[in-house]
Amino acid sequence: MSVGYDHVDLIAMKKYGVRLGHTSNISSEVIAETTIGLLIATARRFFEANHALITGEWKDSDIFWMCGRSIRNSIVGIIGCGNIGISIAKKLNSFNISQLLYTSRGEKPEVTIDELVEQSDFIIVSVALNEDTKYIINRKRIAKMKSHAVLVNIGRGELIDQDALIEALRENRIGGVGLDVMTPEPLPLDNPLIKMTNVVLLPHIGSSSIETRTEMAVVTAKNIIAVLDNSAMTKEVQL
Ligand SMILES: O=CC(=O)O
């Protein structure tokens, strides 16, 4: 019951003739909603601000206190323009950004990934994990990011070299990070990301709306029935 199937051994499935169903495209819209929420929460420091409020550190004397960065007039780069990436781009369209950069497997992208990470104020990773995309955000690419860049990952933890990311955050070489996915999951409570103020972490809840999870469950049940009936699944992975 997921869109991604990077956790499944496809070679073994094929070898033993086991069919694989998934829930592709059902959750794209709601994951895009999560992405926009995470982007704004990270860029505008919602959790840090909330923490300040509840611990009595609210200062209203300093006009720049708790200032984050606006999405308006910014350059946003989306790595991976599949169903989720396109849905994110459509939602961003109403934010009056100055430029949208993207890279994708299908259509010829206008920029390379290196150019995208170098030029973007906000970088969104929404690509599927496979051998080609593992560590697509590597140490070298993190080093190219703007010092105020905000990185959001809603794909899979292993798309990012997390150790290199932690180093960059520690040294304030990037602005902030919003992660709905990380390595490992659940993240151990002693992981350095947990204590960082410029990091917003969500426990992989990208598709967790009641409506979407219900729809995913129904498709999964239909997929199982289709296998038992030896008929076509609603969503089947071609092995
Ligand atoms: O991560 C969620 C999914 O693959 O459905």
Side-chain angles (χ1 to χ4, degrees):
M1 196 178 123
S2 66
V3 182
Y5 43 86
D6 47 283
H7 52 292
V8 180
D9 183 342
L10 299 184
I11 295 170
M13 298 286 282
K14 193 167 178 169
K15 181 171 166 199
Y16 294 107
V18 181
R19 293 169 64 189
L20 178 61
H22 68 145
T23 56
S24 83
N25 214 1
I26 295 168
S27 50
S28 304
E29 282 290 312
V30 84
I31 294 175
E33 288 176 10
T34 307
T35 311
I36 300 291
L38 188 52
L39 179 69
I40 297 175
T42 312
R44 297 290 306 281
R45 305 166 62 188
F46 278 6
F47 287 80
E48 217 184 319
N50 173 262
H51 185 260
L53 181 150
I54 60 179
T55 53
E57 290 156 40
W58 187 346
K59 294 185 204 135
D60 57 4
S61 50
D62 176 354
I63 59 162
F64 290 116
W65 183 71
M66 268 316 152
C67 281
R69 295 193 82 89
S70 306
I71 293 166
R72 177 176 167 264
N73 285 339
S74 70
I75 301 178
V76 184
I78 303 181
I79 299 179
C81 262
N83 293 325
I84 299 172
I86 289 170
S87 178
I88 296 167
K90 282 189 187 150
K91 296 188 191 330
L92 281 171
N93 213 10
S94 61
F95 281 75
N96 293 325
I97 62 173
S98 76
Q99 212 183 342
L100 180 76
L101 306 174
Y102 69 91
T103 65
S104 83
R105 219 172 12 147
E107 273 172 68
K108 198 167 176 277
E110 285 160 30
V111 286
T112 63
I113 300 176
D114 287 323
E115 286 164 344
L116 182 147
V117 294
E118 214 164 22
Q119 293 170 26
S120 301
D121 301 301
F122 299 102
I123 301 158
I124 298 169
V125 185
S126 59
V127 78
L129 174 67
N130 55 45
E131 275 171 21
D132 298 332
T133 58
K134 187 170 177 185
Y135 289 170
I136 199 164
I137 300 294
N138 57 22
R139 187 173 292 273
K140 263 169 75 185
R141 289 189 173 137
I142 292 171
K144 283 177 195 277
M145 291 177 189
K146 293 180 180 174
S147 58
H148 65 253
V150 168
L151 173 68
V152 169
N153 185 12
I154 52 90
R156 287 289 182 265
E158 281 175 301
L159 294 167
I160 298 183
D161 178 343
Q162 197 165 283
D163 291 338
L165 184 69
I166 290 170
E167 262 177 50
L169 285 162
R170 271 199 181 121
E171 293 163 15
N172 283 322
R173 283 191 273 117
I174 56 174
V177 172
L179 304 175
D180 184 44
V181 286
M182 57 217 75
T183 323
E185 291 179 11
L187 192 69
L189 294 183
D190 61 355
N191 188 286
L193 285 170
I194 295 210
K195 291 225 164 73
M196 293 180 163
T197 47
N198 48 353
V199 175
V200 174
L201 299 173
L202 296 178
H204 204 144
I205 53 162
S207 65
S208 304
S209 79
I210 305 233
E211 298 82 355
T212 302
R213 284 293 169 95
T214 305
E215 214 181 322
M216 288 167 78
V218 169
V219 168
T220 304
K222 284 185 178 162
N223 280 345
I224 295 168
I225 293 167
V227 174
L228 296 175
D229 283 352
N230 210 12
S231 60
M233 287 194 208
T234 311
K235 306 270 181 189
E236 182 155 0
V237 178
Q238 296 313 317
L239 296 171

